[in-house]
Amino acid sequence: MKTKRLVVLWSIAALLLLICACAPAARPVLEAGDSEVKLRSIQSRVFDTPDENRTMRAVIATLQDLGFVIDKANSSLGIVSATRLSGYVLKMTVSVRTRGETQVLVRANAQYNLQAIEDPELYQRFFVALSQSMFLAAHHM
Amino acid sequence: MRYKIVIQFIALMLGLLLMLNNCAPMVPRAALQLAPENAGQRLLQSRQFDTDEPTLLSAGTAVLQDLGFMIEDSEPAYGLISCSKHRDASRTEQMIGAFALAMFTGVMLPVDREQWIRASVVTQPVAVDTDSAKCRTAVRVSFQRIVRNQLGKVSRLESLVEPQMYREFFEKLSRSLFLEAHEL
């Protein structure tokens, strides 16, 4: 009798877990994983140059070096989007805007197949590549 | 009775694994990492021409049109043209292979049907002068494609790295620059 009850309990637990696992991530439209502040600091870096155009051209060159094809860009907003195909789809949008008189703020966000990337290490790698291409150090905000 | 518990336990573990998998996307280590082969690709995809940026951009647009690409976006302030085209992707050898397999096994494997080829051309001034003949501008082109099979499923997502393709593109580009210079 006791084993039977145990089997039923196990079954319910397993079923619940499977349902949870299969459910899509909640709030796909207005999602903001951790906190916006934390995410922004992971995805942003500051460079000591006032030249927005030069920075954006370096961003585009870096994306090309990393195997991306550029999809779209807009100079009045200072944004660029690019896609990398390599058995998976990696999409990235990067924005550049001036910060004060002497700096630019670069922000990147990326998406791997159907998921937003929130891993700080991946953004760090991108900014390392970018600062090599700009011959400038990347500062955190 | 005991084996049932074992089965339930396995299901529970599978559920847990799925949940963990759902939480953390497995992004490949190579993504967003500069590798030595990137430098080789840059050489393959880049050239420099003795002309100014606007001339090179319009010559590039003409080449892309010659190749049947549809321009999707352009931003002269960043020296960018991006474009794409849809083409047939069926290959005779793949069809013969699938047919032969079907003859022997009765299983028909789906074959590739269409491809969406995407490209971006980016220019970068190297030397700027009021005389356009003294200017020097670098250009980098890159191609990639998404192939779908006859079931409409994606079968390939890849960068195109055949050197021949890039050589041909730059040959056409230098011819196009010549034609532009002579207003043909």
Side-chain angles (χ1 to χ4, degrees), chain A residues 52 65 71 73 75 87 125, chain B residues 29 38 42 82 118 140 157:
Chain A
E52 183 262 330
D65 277 346
D71 306 328
S75 62
R125 277 190 226 154
Chain B
R29 299 264 104 190
N38 292 116
R42 185 199 298 192
S82 68
R118 310 174 68 250
R140 180 165 182 176
L157 293 162

Side-chain angles (χ1 to χ4, degrees), chain A:
Chain A
M1 211 56 199
K2 211 166 188 184
T3 34
K4 213 169 192 179
R5 191 178 291 168
L6 208 66
V7 168
V8 170
L9 274 174
W10 272 110
S11 307
I12 293 170
L15 208 76
L16 274 174
L17 261 174
L18 270 167
I19 290 168
C20 288
C22 298
R27 302 172 290 137
V29 177
L30 294 174
E31 70 186 335
D34 279 339
S35 77
E36 288 98 280
V37 181
K38 194 173 153 203
L39 198 63
R40 282 185 187 201
S41 94
I42 290 170
Q43 296 179 339
S44 308
R45 292 293 186 281
V46 175
F47 291 90
D48 291 325
T49 170
D51 194 340
E52 183 262 330
N53 188 282
R54 183 190 154 223
T55 309
M56 189 50 109
R57 283 178 185 265
V59 166
I60 292 173
T62 305
L63 287 168
Q64 286 186 301
D65 277 346
L66 293 167
F68 283 80
V69 162
I70 313 299
D71 306 328
K72 281 178 186 335
N74 185 309
S75 62
S76 49
L77 289 174
I79 49 174
V80 61
S81 301
T83 305
R84 181 190 156 128
L85 301 177
S86 180
Y88 53 81
V89 183
L90 185 59
K91 277 185 170 274
M92 200 154 186
T93 291
V94 183
S95 66
V96 173
R97 60 198 165 89
T98 48
R99 187 174 190 254
E101 301 265 290
T102 56
Q103 290 181 318
V104 286
L105 177 78
V106 180
R107 171 157 186 191
N109 68 305
Q111 168 186 302
Y112 172 73
N113 288 337
L114 299 175
Q115 269 155 326
I117 295 180
E118 292 180 7
D119 180 2
E121 200 192 314
L122 277 156
Y123 291 103
Q124 177 59 23
R125 277 190 226 154
F126 171 74
F127 287 116
V128 165
L130 177 61
S131 57
Q132 277 172 9
S133 139
M134 291 184 70
F135 301 109
L136 280 175
H139 309 296
H140 282 270
M141 276 196 296

